[in-house]
Amino acid sequence: MHGPDIGRTQCKRGEGKKMVVDFTLKELKDNCTLFNGEPVLTLAEAFQKTEGMFQYYFVDIKVENDEKIEQQMQEIFDTVKKLKLQDKAILSSYSITGNQYLADHAKG
């Protein structure tokens, strides 16, 4: 998702939910599409769907909760490593906390 809310999606049956974190992944996948009709993808699915299309992948990491930054970043690192994209994924964050975490922990 591009940001913290579901404003860029066509979510159905949100029952008043407006923030991405209020949904499970299953709810997002079952009830939401992007405005162009494309499904909501995980980072791994997006990498796999675009495999071979780009020399490098630029991933801007949104940090919505500084308390969960370690978990969020580790999941991204694990996805990049699992798909063997360490030499192709360029991670950045406009968040001071996110950038500091990247500087301290992102190694190959």
Side-chain angles (χ1 to χ4, degrees), residues 1-6 18-21 62 64:
M1 304 302 281
H2 184 72
D5 63 58
I6 59 167
K18 296 188 188 294
M19 305 303 284
V20 173
V21 298
K62 308 291 186 193
E64 301 303 330

Side-chain angles (χ1 to χ4, degrees), residues 59-87:
V59 180
D60 178 44
I61 302 164
K62 308 291 186 193
V63 177
E64 301 303 330
N65 183 341
D66 285 343
E67 294 175 9
K68 295 183 179 181
I69 186 81
E70 187 171 343
Q71 176 189 350
Q72 181 181 355
M73 292 290 193
Q74 193 57 54
E75 289 174 0
I76 293 167
F77 296 162
D78 291 347
T79 297
V80 168
K81 286 178 185 177
K82 180 181 177 184
L83 297 174
K84 297 181 172 92
L85 294 173
Q86 296 95 314
D87 294 335

Side-chain angles (χ1 to χ4, degrees), residues 29-48:
K29 289 188 152 296
D30 289 350
N31 302 315
C32 301
T33 59
L34 303 180
F35 276 115
N36 63 3
E38 290 183 18
V40 172
L41 301 175
T42 64
L43 179 61
E45 290 168 337
F47 280 143
Q48 292 166 336

